[in-house]
Amino acid sequence: MALDTTALKCAGLGAGRAPGAAIEGRASIFEMTQEAEVAVLRPQDCGAWSHALRAALAARIAMLNGEEALAGQYAADAGDYGALADPSDDGAGQGLAPVVAFMDKVAADTRNVAAPDISGLQAAGIADADIVRLCELNAFLAYQLRVIAGLRLMKEVYP
């Protein structure tokens, strides 16, 4: 089985580790999760958000959720946007303060995201399609973080 995915690695179940029958039986889910990661972080059509910026924002979301290993993996691809992986950087230095504030709120205070948050991005000149791209990135990270947490629980129960 060739399951070498970000989620499995960050859960401590990377290649060469015995993931168990439960994971092997769901290989397609992990393969599709990895494909979704590529689609969200390295799409052919980036819109306003380069691959490096997407990696920085993904690292930041991982840091906000206490996933340092995942953050480190994404930060490695952040290039000139690497500083944004640090949640103490508000993005103002790179002209991205509204984007960073929105991403932080969606990642860490989701239930309080409301229409004014979207209209604030629009007022900052961000196209609707690019707002959707930001939401896709945050939604994927929310999913991936939960998969990693679940895998760690499985590892504890079925070592």
Side-chain angles (χ1 to χ4, degrees), residues 63 89 127 129 132:
M63 285 297 290
D89 186 324
V132 171

Side-chain angles (χ1 to χ4, degrees), residues 1 7-8 11 13 22 28 33 46-47 53 62 66 72 87 90 98 105 127 129 132 136 145 150 154 156 159:
M1 180 173 71
L8 289 169
L13 298 169
S28 63
T33 297
C46 294
L53 178 55
D90 68 1
K105 187 171 183 179
V132 171
E136 289 172 342
L145 290 164
M154 286 178 59
E156 289 176 19

Side-chain angles (χ1 to χ4, degrees), residues 2-16:
L3 282 178
D4 187 23
T5 71
T6 301
L8 289 169
K9 279 188 249 177
C10 289
L13 298 169

Side-chain angles (χ1 to χ4, degrees), residues 54-115:
R54 289 167 184 258
L57 293 171
R60 183 181 188 91
I61 293 167
M63 285 297 290
L64 287 169
N65 285 278
E67 285 292 339
E68 292 183 22
L70 183 62
Q73 180 168 330
Y74 288 139
D77 294 329
D80 292 341
Y81 295 104
L84 292 178
D86 180 350
S88 68
D89 186 324
D90 68 1
Q94 298 185 335
L96 294 167
V99 171
V100 168
F102 175 75
M103 294 302 276
D104 286 359
K105 187 171 183 179
V106 173
D109 190 22
T110 309
R111 69 178 157 184
N112 290 314
V113 174

